[in-house]
């Protein structure tokens, strides 16, 4: 130890800063004698050589250090090794190497350049440079002679590591070898990496390749150091000449286990030792030849074929995108040479490529099938599959919820799935895959009963492999197609669904109209049959009262925020004995009550709380809130745990038929199958005018949807008259409108042309619609009034003078803002209800009073649902839009039970504008709901052609 040098403080400082893994590496380097002092730099600074890779400078006085290894981590393992060595074994670090009179070989390595120098070691430890070995006076050994010859053949002093292998083999027999001043030994035995297969995450396995744990360092490309011994690397190609790619880790998911067993492990085992330390991998088999399997499908009156390589018959693995995929049983060892031969044969004999689909029809398909029959697919001739056309016969298996249809060969030895047969039939194909051959599709039978098999498949899929209870009538129809008696469950269900006597709750205090009594009996029958229901009565017929009569047990009511108080009032009025709790607001807490009322927003936000509760009954009011099946609200509603599910909506179909699917998926999951299947079987055909599809849909949902129109059941309700009030734009308004129209046409064409969706194009139409109502709504324009506002004031003045009350609806509160000053200027009292209204009940009560204001301005969003405004008998719709269901909801705030005067509904339309085309479009869009429900309350979705037509 050098006196006056504070190595202990430096040691402590390095240890405090060094990462534990690097410190451990430093311990190994120091222990293996890799550290040697190379000189003093002045000022107490010392340099040390650590192995062959780094020079470390230590500043013990300042407790600082440097290393030239280039590591981004400070301190590195070399600094740790130097600090440890000078602290624990200073004599070995600073002592000069003992010398003896013999040929000493000094290796120095800079990168991948190795310099080999010779000297003559003397007994006193001195060393003399050695030039000519023959003239040195030393007695050379055989090793010295070999190395002398190798050095003479080397034209440069620095030898590339890639060319150093013969030197290394010769140095294995040398007596005195130094590396960077340290004595080392040299061995011819290569050092190899080690592989270990162990459990990985998510059920997979991990293959880890690491250097031999005895390897202390890689001193140059292809050369490692184990302790004080230099050894050649046994494997360098895939791991790098310096093993810089080690450790190598790769994780394989369960789907890749076949590739691990069949290819990865055999390749590793050819080079290095492999330890398998997992039980997750499947077993291995011996040599199993691959063969070509032909997968056939019939698509659009053609044959679609895809050849693939498989192992085993029946296959236990297949080759997919160059990777072995395990199917069953033990995994074979891949024979990639045989795979390549089959690939070439397939190309030359059949002009096919592995994994590539081809579609052929007619004579081309026949020629291909003939070629497959004689193709040498890699199996023995006796095992080759023969392609034959087997006539398939449908058969009903199972009963009740387990009912299924299969298609079998006459001898029962071969079977095709119903999914495959129905899929081929729907595509107009005559063949279906059948084991090693092809079966003929029974097209005649399917033409009569294929739609039933399709619905049964869809119902089973939606029911998790079993037919849902609500679909038992479908099972009865399938049984009838096979001339078999219906299952007991279907007959029992039919009896349960037959409404009996009305069992009105004892605490019900109201009086039911005849059609309401029928509705209550219908609801109770479905409730008692453990089935859901959709009550889709026309708006204003008392769906809430009917639902109240069917409530049983612990009930959750989900409704828009605007009708919470209406539910509280109706329960207090008609079933006062029920305990009611409101689960809404910032401090909401679950509580024990007969009826819990919440909002759709709260359901969405607190889904975990509400879904965790078992409800006897769940009611969705204004259930069009779940019309988008992908919304979080709809998904939360589907997840609710309830015995009886009831959906209330006067407009179960507003835009698209999948809104009806959403309602039924909530009420009776699985009845209409999955969304994609529903779109193929019902939504698209009905939209295209397929009457048979519409009839099948009505028959399927009929037992679970009750819809009555006011004109059918409420004869005492006064008539509703719809009229159009047309106004003429002033020249200044027309100029602005025409300018906006030109810009809108260009914008819509651009958006649709760029692949934009319909909703994006609707945004471009917004300004055009506003320009037809009031120029002041268009950015950059101002106007005191508009032709439409003046027409509204004239009509309101007449109505108020005659003692009528009126509702004025608009989608835009900014338009209502422009109406208000004119009402004040004409001394027409009014009130207003929009999204900013806090006391909604107070505003409604004030308007409903006989002495209340005669006019109410209402935003369509805030007042389109859940309000009873029968004091009004005039309704003005300021800005009509394409969806008539939204307008009907607004109009029915006045035209509902409790109204005793005729109701006039005026749509205010600016002449020669987009609004006239909107009215024509409304008439075209009423067909979808009519087809599904037998009513014309709503229309189909708006298409690109519709939007372009609005701009003509």
């Amino acid at each position: 130890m050098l006196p006056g040098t504070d190595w202990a403080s430096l040691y402590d400082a390095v240890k405090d800063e060094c990462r534990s893994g690097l410190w451990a590496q430093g311990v190994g380097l120091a222990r293996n004698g890799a550290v040697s002092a190379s000189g003093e730099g002045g000022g107490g600074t010392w340099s040390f050589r650590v192995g062959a890779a780094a020079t470390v400078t230590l500043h013990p006085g300042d407790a600082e250090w440097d290393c030239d290894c280039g590591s981004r981590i400070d301190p590195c393992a070399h600094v740790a090794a130097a600090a440890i060595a000078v602290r624990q074994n200073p004599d070995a670090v600073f002592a000069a190497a003992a010398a003896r009179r013999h040929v000493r070989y000094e290796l120095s390595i800079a990168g991948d350049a190795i310099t080999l120098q010779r000297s003559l070691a003397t007994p006193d430890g001195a060393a003399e440079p050695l030039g000519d070995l023959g003239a040195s006076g030393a007695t050379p050994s055989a090793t010295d002679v070999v190395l002398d010859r190798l050095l003479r053949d080397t034209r440069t002093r620095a030898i590339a590591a890639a060319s150093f292998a013969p030197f290394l083999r010769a140095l294995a027999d040398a007596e005195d070898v130094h590396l960077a001043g340290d004595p080392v030994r040299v061995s011819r035995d290569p050092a190899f990496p080690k592989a270990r297969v162990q459990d990985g995450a998510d059920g997979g396995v991990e293959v880890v390749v690491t250097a031999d744990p005895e390897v202390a360092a890689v001193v140059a490309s292809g050369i490692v150091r184990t302790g004080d011994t230099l050894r050649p690397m046994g494997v360098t190609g895939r791991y790098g000449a310096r093993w810089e790619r080690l450790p190598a880790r790769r994780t394989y998911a369960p789907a890749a286990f076949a590739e691990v067993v069949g290819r990865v492990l055999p390749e590793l085992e050819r080079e290095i030792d492999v330890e398998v330390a997992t039980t997750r991998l499947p077993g291995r088999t011996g040599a199993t030849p691959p063969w070509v399997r032909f997968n056939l499908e019939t698509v659009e009156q053609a044959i679609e074929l895809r050849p693939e390589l498989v192992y085993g018959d029946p296959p236990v693995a297949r080759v997919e995108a160059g990777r072995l995929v395990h199917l069953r049983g033990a995994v074979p060892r891949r024979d990639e040479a045989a795979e390549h031969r089959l690939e070439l044969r397939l190309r030359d004999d059949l002009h096919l490529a592995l994994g590539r689909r081809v579609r052929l029809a007619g004579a081309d398909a026949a020629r291909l099938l003939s070629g497959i029959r004689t193709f040498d697919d890699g199996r023995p001739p006796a095992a080759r599959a023969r392609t034959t056309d087997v006539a398939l016969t449908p058969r009903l298996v199972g009963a009740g919820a387990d009912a299924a249809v299969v298609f079998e060969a006459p001898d029962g030895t071969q079977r095709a799935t119903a999914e495959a047969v129905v899929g081929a039939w729907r595509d107009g194909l005559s063949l279906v895959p059948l084991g090693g051959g092809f079966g003929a599709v029974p097209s005649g039978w399917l033409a009569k009963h294929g739609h039933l098999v399709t619905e049964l498949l869809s119902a089973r899929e939606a029911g998790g492999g079993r037919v849902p209870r609500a679909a038992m009538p479908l099972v009865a129809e399938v049984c009838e197609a096979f001339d078999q008696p219906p299952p007991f469950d279907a007959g029992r269900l039919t009896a349960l669904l037959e409404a009996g006597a009305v069992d009105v709750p004892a605490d019900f205090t109201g009086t039911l109209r005849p059609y309401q009594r029928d509705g209550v009996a219908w609801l109770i029958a479905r409730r008692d049959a453990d089935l859901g229901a959709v009550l889709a009565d026309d708006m204003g017929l008392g769906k809430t009262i009917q639902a109240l009569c069917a409530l049983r047990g612990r009930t959750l009511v989900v409704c828009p925020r605007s009708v919470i108080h209406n539910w509280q009032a109706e329960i207090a009025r008609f079933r006062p004995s029920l305990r009611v709790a409101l689960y809404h607001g910032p401090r909401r807490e679950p509580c024990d009550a007969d009826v819990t009322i919440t909002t759709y927003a709260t359901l969405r936000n607190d889904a975990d709380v509400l879904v965790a509760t078992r409800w006897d009954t769940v009611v969705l009011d204004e259930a069009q809130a779940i019309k988008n099946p992908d919304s979080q609200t709809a998904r939360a509603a589907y997840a609710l745990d309830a015995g009886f599910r009831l959906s209330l909506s006067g407009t179960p179909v507003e835009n698209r038929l999948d809104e009806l699917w959403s309602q039924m998926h909530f009420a009776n999951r699985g009845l209409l199958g999955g969304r994609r299947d529903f779109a193929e079987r019902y939504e698209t055909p009905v939209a295209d005018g397929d009457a048979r599809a519409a009839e099948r849909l009505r028959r399927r949902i009929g037992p679970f949807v009750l819809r009555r129109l006011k004109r059918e059941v409420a004869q005492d309700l006064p008539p509703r008259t719809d009229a159009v009030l047309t106004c003429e734009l002033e020249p200044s308004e027309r100029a602005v409108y025409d300018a906006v129209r030109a810009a809108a046409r260009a914008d819509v064409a651009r958006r649709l042309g760029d692949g934009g969706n319909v909703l994006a194009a609707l945004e471009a139409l917004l300004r055009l619609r506003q320009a037809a109502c009031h120029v002041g709504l268009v950015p950059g324009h101002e106007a005191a009034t508009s032709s439409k506002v003046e027409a509204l004031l004239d009509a309101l003045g007449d109505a108020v003078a005659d003692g009528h009350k009126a509702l004025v609806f608009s989608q835009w509160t900014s338009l209502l803002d422009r109406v208000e000053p004119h009402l004040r200027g004409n001394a027409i009292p009014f009130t207003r209800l929009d999204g900013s209204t806090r006391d909604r009940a107070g505003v409604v009560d004030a308007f409903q009073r006989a002495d209340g204001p005669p006019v109410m301005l209402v935003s369509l969003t805030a007042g389109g649902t859940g309000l009873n405004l029968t004091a009004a008998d005039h309704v003005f719709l300021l800005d009509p839009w394409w969806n008539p269901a939204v307008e009907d909801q607004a109009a029915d705030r006045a035209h509902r039970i409790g109204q005793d005067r005729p109701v006039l509904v005026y749509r205010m339309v600016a002449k020669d504008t987009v609004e006239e085309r909107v009215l024509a479009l409304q008439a075209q869009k009423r067909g979808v709901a009519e087809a599904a429900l037998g009513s014309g309350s709503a229309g189909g979705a708006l298409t690109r052609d519709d939007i372009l037509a609005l701009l003509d």
Side-chain angles (χ1 to χ4, degrees):
M1 177 71 71
L2 296 177
T5 302
D6 189 7
W7 297 110
S9 297
L10 178 69
Y11 173 92
D12 294 337
V14 173
K15 185 174 184 180
D16 289 341
E17 295 290 333
C18 191
R19 297 184 181 181
S20 58
L22 295 176
W23 183 261
Q25 294 179 28
V27 171
L29 290 170
R31 183 179 297 136
N32 292 330
V35 180
S36 61
S38 58
E40 182 179 9
T45 299
W46 281 83
S47 296
F48 299 85
R49 190 67 178 171
V50 181
T55 298
V56 174
T57 303
L58 298 182
H59 311 270
D62 300 324
E64 293 182 356
W65 52 84
D66 293 295
C67 182
D68 63 1
C69 69
S71 174
R72 290 178 293 179
I73 303 175
D74 183 30
C76 61
H78 305 116
V79 172
I84 294 169
V86 297
R87 179 74 171 86
Q88 297 180 349
N89 197 10
D91 293 335
V93 175
F94 292 100
R100 48 190 298 263
R101 190 172 179 79
H102 55 269
V103 178
R104 175 180 297 170
Y105 296 92
E106 181 72 33
L107 294 172
S108 60
I109 301 175
D112 277 340
I114 304 175
T115 302
L116 176 59
Q117 295 181 331
R118 298 178 297 180
S119 61
L120 190 62
T122 61
D124 60 359
E128 303 173 357
L130 177 62
D132 185 353
L133 180 63
S136 65
T139 303
S141 66
T143 299
D144 296 332
V145 174
V146 171
L147 286 167
D148 185 65
R149 184 173 64 250
L150 289 173
L151 286 170
R152 290 186 181 186
D153 294 338
T154 302
R155 297 182 179 180
T156 61
R157 293 185 60 193
I159 306 166
S163 304
F164 200 73
F167 291 91
L168 200 64
R169 287 194 295 270
L171 286 170
D173 297 324
E175 180 180 355
D176 189 2
V177 181
H178 283 68
L179 174 64
D182 293 333
V184 294
R185 292 182 296 172
V186 179
S187 172
R188 295 188 182 92
D189 295 333
F192 290 92
K194 304 290 184 181
R196 175 183 171 88
V197 186
Q198 58 195 25
D199 291 347
D202 300 325
V205 297
E206 184 181 39
V207 178
V208 183
V209 180
T210 59
D212 188 319
E214 295 182 0
V215 172
V218 176
V219 298
S221 294
I223 305 173
V224 298
R225 180 172 178 170
T226 58
D228 62 352
T229 304
L230 299 182
R231 299 172 62 185
M233 290 180 177
V235 179
T236 58
R238 70 173 66 187
Y239 307 117
R242 286 179 167 270
W243 284 353
E244 64 270 17
R245 301 188 189 102
L246 295 182
R249 296 176 179 271
R250 185 169 180 182
T251 300
Y252 296 87
F257 282 179
E259 186 71 3
V260 175
V261 174
R263 184 183 62 81
V264 176
L265 294 186
E267 287 183 357
L268 285 173
E269 289 168 342
R270 282 196 292 267
E271 295 182 335
I272 61 179
D273 291 337
V274 179
E275 177 191 3
V276 179
T278 179
T279 60
R280 293 177 177 175
L281 292 176
R284 290 194 253 184
T285 64
T288 301
W291 60 281
V292 179
R293 181 172 68 172
F294 297 94
N295 297 293
L296 177 84
E297 296 178 20
T298 48
V299 180
E300 298 177 358
Q301 301 180 344
I303 291 177
E304 188 171 272
L305 182 140
R306 180 178 60 84
E308 66 177 354
L309 279 174
V310 297
Y311 285 83
D313 188 12
V316 297
R318 69 169 179 265
V319 179
E320 185 176 290
R323 185 170 60 90
L324 195 67
V325 178
H326 182 224
L327 301 177
R328 65 180 67 83
V331 177
R333 181 169 183 166
R334 287 189 68 176
D335 186 344
E336 296 187 62
E339 292 177 13
H340 183 62
R341 289 193 296 271
L342 284 172
E343 184 176 10
L344 294 178
R345 189 184 307 158
L346 184 71
R347 181 197 65 187
D348 296 339
D349 295 354
L350 298 178
H351 307 291
L352 298 175
L354 288 171
R356 181 176 299 175
R357 293 182 182 273
V358 296
R359 182 178 297 186
L360 300 171
D364 291 334
R367 280 193 294 269
L368 179 60
L369 294 178
S370 176
I372 290 175
R373 289 187 177 96
T374 59
F375 177 73
D376 181 3
D377 62 11
R379 294 177 293 169
R384 294 178 191 164
R386 293 186 176 277
T387 304
T388 57
D389 295 344
V390 178
L392 297 176
T393 302
R395 189 164 70 88
L396 179 65
V397 297
D402 296 316
V405 176
V406 298
F407 293 83
E408 293 182 337
D411 59 3
T413 58
Q414 293 176 296
R415 174 180 291 186
T417 65
E419 291 86 351
V421 174
V422 170
W425 168 68
R426 292 172 67 179
D427 291 335
L429 303 176
S430 59
L431 295 177
V432 68
L434 191 66
F438 314 121
V441 174
S443 302
W445 186 88
L446 288 170
K448 296 180 180 179
H449 308 297
H451 66 281
L452 293 176
V453 180
T454 301
E455 292 186 39
L456 184 64
L457 287 172
S458 181
R460 285 176 60 91
E461 180 180 1
R466 307 187 80 229
V467 181
R469 180 173 173 79
M472 281 298 110
L474 168 63
V475 176
E477 293 183 50
V478 174
C479 290
E480 184 180 352
F482 283 93
D483 196 23
Q484 294 186 16
F488 172 77
D489 289 348
R492 182 172 177 270
L493 184 63
T494 301
L496 288 173
L497 293 180
E498 294 178 356
V502 180
D503 185 15
V504 177
D507 62 343
F508 183 70
T509 61
T511 301
L512 295 174
R513 294 170 180 264
Y515 74 86
Q516 291 174 332
R517 295 181 65 84
D518 294 341
V520 171
W522 184 88
L523 289 175
I524 291 176
R526 275 120 196 95
R527 182 198 68 189
D528 293 345
D530 295 327
L531 293 168
V534 176
L535 182 57
D537 280 347
D538 206 353
M539 289 169 285
L541 292 184
K543 293 187 289 295
T544 302
I545 295 176
Q546 296 176 69
L548 286 176
C549 291
L551 299 187
R552 181 174 64 183
R554 190 176 185 185
T555 298
L556 175 68
V557 174
V558 187
C559 61
R561 183 173 63 87
S562 59
V563 299
I564 283 180
H565 300 295
N566 181 63
W567 270 92
Q568 289 177 306
E570 295 290 271
I571 294 174
R573 177 182 176 188
F574 294 108
R575 295 197 64 180
S577 67
L578 295 179
R579 294 173 300 139
V580 179
L582 183 62
Y583 187 69
H584 177 64
R587 298 181 180 178
R588 55 186 177 269
E589 291 289 342
C591 60
D592 186 20
D594 298 316
V595 180
T596 299
I597 304 174
T598 191
T599 66
Y600 285 102
T602 304
L603 170 64
R604 181 175 64 250
N605 295 329
D606 289 14
D608 53 343
V609 175
L610 297 173
V611 168
T613 303
R614 169 65 182 178
W615 306 95
D616 297 297
T617 303
V618 168
V619 179
L620 301 187
D621 190 20
E622 302 292 354
Q624 60 270 20
I626 65 165
K627 64 183 179 181
N628 178 6
D630 293 323
S631 67
Q632 294 182 3
T633 301
R635 293 176 180 178
Y638 301 154
L640 290 170
D641 184 7
F644 178 45
R645 295 165 171 259
L646 175 56
S647 171
L648 305 179
S649 176
T651 54
V653 180
E654 288 186 347
N655 302 324
R656 303 176 60 92
L657 268 186
D658 66 353
E659 297 170 5
L660 176 63
W661 179 91
S662 184
Q663 302 281 345
M664 296 307 302
H665 189 66
F666 165 76
N668 290 300
R669 180 168 301 181
L671 177 65
L672 296 180
R675 284 181 64 192
R676 181 178 301 176
D677 183 71
F678 176 80
E680 293 176 356
R681 289 189 293 116
Y682 295 121
E683 185 174 6
T684 300
V686 170
D688 292 340
D690 187 335
R692 291 180 300 176
E695 173 57 31
R696 288 198 299 270
L697 176 59
R698 286 195 294 269
R699 185 172 68 251
R700 196 63 58 225
I701 68 174
F704 310 105
V705 178
L706 180 62
R707 179 167 180 79
R708 281 85 58 87
L709 302 180
K710 284 180 286 194
R711 64 175 180 267
E712 299 170 345
V713 298
Q715 288 81 7
D716 56 340
L717 194 66
R720 164 182 158 175
T721 302
D722 288 72
V724 176
L725 286 181
T726 303
C727 62
E728 188 89 32
L729 294 182
E730 294 293 332
S732 59
E733 293 176 306
R734 175 63 61 182
V736 174
Y737 177 84
D738 289 343
V740 174
R741 177 174 174 269
R745 282 186 63 88
D747 194 14
V748 168
R750 178 184 60 79
R751 294 188 186 219
L752 295 180
D754 292 342
N757 59 26
V758 170
L759 291 179
L762 287 178
E763 294 177 5
L765 290 174
L766 173 65
R767 296 304 179 196
L768 186 62
R769 296 174 53 221
Q770 291 178 331
C773 293
H774 198 296
V775 169
L777 297 177
V778 180
H781 293 270
E782 294 293 338
T785 186
S786 72
S787 299
K788 183 174 287 191
V789 171
E790 294 299 325
L792 172 67
L793 292 173
D794 290 343
L796 285 177
D798 293 341
V800 172
D802 292 338
H804 298 287
K805 285 194 173 188
L807 303 175
V808 179
F809 283 94
S810 175
Q811 297 180 54
W812 304 305
T813 57
S814 56
L815 181 55
L816 298 179
D817 293 340
R818 285 166 169 77
V819 172
E820 281 193 16
H822 296 282
L823 293 177
R824 295 190 185 96
N826 286 269
I828 300 177
F830 69 93
T831 187
R832 177 166 169 168
L833 191 150
D834 58 30
S836 64
T837 303
R838 289 294 174 260
D839 186 12
R840 294 169 58 92
V843 172
V844 171
D845 291 343
F847 179 77
Q848 287 288 96
R849 291 198 304 268
D851 59 348
V855 175
M856 176 184 281
L857 303 180
V858 192
S859 73
L860 206 56
T861 301
T865 58
L867 295 178
N868 188 340
L869 301 171
T870 52
D873 56 5
H874 282 52
V875 178
F876 294 88
L877 302 170
L878 284 182
D879 37 73
W881 189 220
W882 69 277
N883 188 349
V886 176
E887 296 182 353
D888 286 339
Q889 285 182 332
D892 282 323
R893 299 311 99 205
H895 190 242
R896 60 197 300 115
I897 299 301
Q899 180 62 267
D900 54 9
R901 291 174 295 175
V903 175
L904 296 176
V905 179
Y906 296 102
R907 289 174 173 82
M908 305 199 68
V909 174
K911 187 178 180 181
D912 295 328
T913 69
V914 66
E915 293 183 334
E916 288 188 330
R917 294 173 178 82
V918 165
L919 294 186
L921 184 61
Q922 285 181 350
Q924 299 173 13
K925 291 296 176 178
R926 294 180 181 269
V928 172
E930 177 68 34
L933 302 171
S935 68
S937 66
L942 199 62
T943 66
R944 294 172 179 235
D945 291 339
D946 295 333
I947 292 177
L948 294 175
L950 290 174
L951 292 167
D952 287 342

